[in-house]
Amino acid sequence: MLINQKSYEDERVKLLMKKNLSTLILAFISTILFFMVFKEDNSKLSLFLIVMPYNIFSLARHIVGKYFWDAEEKKEITDYSKWENTYAFLTLGAGLSFGFMNYWCFSTTEYLTQTFCIAMTLGFTSGAINTYSASMRTVTSYTLPSLLFLILAFIFKGGENVHYILSVMTFLFFLNGTRGSKNINEMINKQVQNKLNSIQTSKMGALGEMASGMAHEINNPLTIITGQIKYLEKVLDSDQFDKQIVKE
């Protein structure tokens, strides 16, 4: 069954913009953790200025999602792609700010804080791959800059053989994550396709029931009229009718 391409894209964007307060909460938690871990190595003001952009972009993205669903409920959205592009742009800002936050805090000597930055980056990019897989551009907008800053931190702030190896592994993680995101995206595409097919089938079924009901309602009076016509034909063909005509 053929599905309108616009309907498919609209449903895909709705999955991207699904209400997800946990993403915003995790953004605030992550910056709090960064502030607690690195407050001794940086001035509080500079650290505050470093972590705040990530919160701002995350909050702005959440607000855009809220406005999207308000407009969706009022049936005011005509171009879903603009909402997707806006969401992807804000996600790019979040990815850049998160990556820079990790690069700034990445220590040249303390392996414990390095491990913290690595764990935060890989954990959040993995979450982005699962959360934004309805839109590959949004996935890339977050994962590419955040992982790129981590690779730069390995090269310029690590500078050891193990860090170069970690750089390669991080790049492979990005490639594997992108492939995994594509697989999830294909699954989402099938879910959207099945949903639209189900809706289309339901509409056709309802149309068939309505047509059947209309035919039934029309057929009843037609049956009565046909019966009356046949009765009149019999009366007109009868001898009694001919005799009545002759008498008159």
Side-chain angles (χ1 to χ4, degrees), residues 174-234:
F174 170 73
L175 295 179
N176 186 62
T178 303
R179 184 181 65 178
S181 184
K182 287 182 178 179
N183 292 335
I184 298 174
N185 184 263
E186 290 176 0
M187 292 175 60
I188 291 173
N189 292 343
K190 291 180 180 179
Q191 290 178 0
V192 172
Q193 193 78 12
N194 291 335
K195 178 181 178 180
L196 293 177
N197 283 334
S198 177
I199 294 173
Q200 190 73 8
T201 301
S202 298
K203 288 181 179 179
M204 294 302 294
L207 182 61
E209 290 180 4
M210 183 178 68
S212 177
M214 291 176 63
H216 178 72
E217 294 298 326
I218 294 172
N219 189 53
N220 285 341
L222 287 178
T223 301
I224 296 172
I225 294 171
T226 303
Q228 293 295 330
I229 291 173
K230 289 182 177 179
Y231 174 75
L232 289 173
E233 287 178 348
K234 290 180 179 181

Side-chain angles (χ1 to χ4, degrees), residues 79-97:
D79 190 351
Y80 285 78
S81 62
K82 289 183 178 179
W83 289 89
E84 180 182 10
N85 292 335
T86 302
Y87 199 85
F89 175 77
L90 293 174
T91 302
L92 175 62
L96 287 170
S97 56

Side-chain angles (χ1 to χ4, degrees), residues 1 3 5 21 33 53 64 79 96 101 134 153 200 210 233:
M1 184 178 297
I3 299 297
Q5 182 65 23
L21 184 61
L33 290 175
V64 166
D79 190 351
L96 287 170
M101 186 168 61
Q200 190 73 8
M210 183 178 68
E233 287 178 348

Side-chain angles (χ1 to χ4, degrees), residues 11-211:
E11 288 297 322
R12 185 180 58 77
V13 174
K14 289 178 186 178
L15 289 175
L16 171 66
M17 306 290 286
K18 61 185 177 181
K19 300 176 182 178
N20 196 350
L21 184 61
S22 60
T23 303
L24 179 63
I25 295 174
L26 285 173
F28 286 122
I29 291 176
S30 67
T31 53
I32 292 172
L33 290 175
F34 268 93
F35 200 89
M36 292 175 61
V37 172
F38 297 104
K39 64 181 180 180
E40 301 296 334
D41 300 328
N42 301 272
S43 67
K44 293 182 179 179
L45 178 60
S46 62
L47 189 57
F48 178 80
L49 294 175
I50 291 168
V51 302
M52 277 308 296
Y54 183 59
N55 286 334
I56 293 172
F57 279 109
S58 299
L59 180 60
R61 188 174 53 189
H62 182 76
I63 293 173
V64 166
K66 183 180 182 303
Y67 275 107
F68 171 85
W69 287 108
D70 289 342
E72 174 65 18
E73 290 177 359
K74 297 176 182 177
K75 306 297 181 183
E76 296 176 348
I77 299 179
T78 56
D79 190 351
Y80 285 78
S81 62
K82 289 183 178 179
W83 289 89
E84 180 182 10
N85 292 335
T86 302
Y87 199 85
F89 175 77
L90 293 174
T91 302
L92 175 62
L96 287 170
S97 56
F98 186 79
F100 181 75
M101 186 168 61
N102 273 283
Y103 180 83
W104 182 273
C105 295
F106 194 90
S107 175
T108 57
T109 56
E110 296 183 11
Y111 288 101
L112 183 61
T113 54
Q114 289 181 7
T115 303
F116 175 81
C117 291
I118 295 170
M120 292 293 290
T121 302
L122 298 184
F124 273 70
T125 51
S126 297
I129 288 170
N130 291 320
T131 304
Y132 309 134
S133 288
S135 171
M136 288 302 299
R137 74 186 72 171
T138 306
V139 170
T140 308
S141 295
Y142 189 91
T143 58
L144 182 59
S146 58
L147 291 174
L148 179 61
F149 270 106
L150 181 61
I151 292 174
L152 293 176
F154 285 144
I155 295 173
F156 294 108
K157 288 194 171 184
E160 301 176 8
N161 289 335
V162 65
H163 290 100
Y164 295 125
I165 295 173
L166 289 174
S167 298
V168 175
M169 292 178 66
T170 302
F171 180 71
L172 293 176
F173 173 83
F174 170 73
L175 295 179
N176 186 62
T178 303
R179 184 181 65 178
S181 184
K182 287 182 178 179
N183 292 335
I184 298 174
N185 184 263
E186 290 176 0
M187 292 175 60
I188 291 173
N189 292 343
K190 291 180 180 179
Q191 290 178 0
V192 172
Q193 193 78 12
N194 291 335
K195 178 181 178 180
L196 293 177
N197 283 334
S198 177
I199 294 173
Q200 190 73 8
T201 301
S202 298
K203 288 181 179 179
M204 294 302 294
L207 182 61
E209 290 180 4
M210 183 178 68

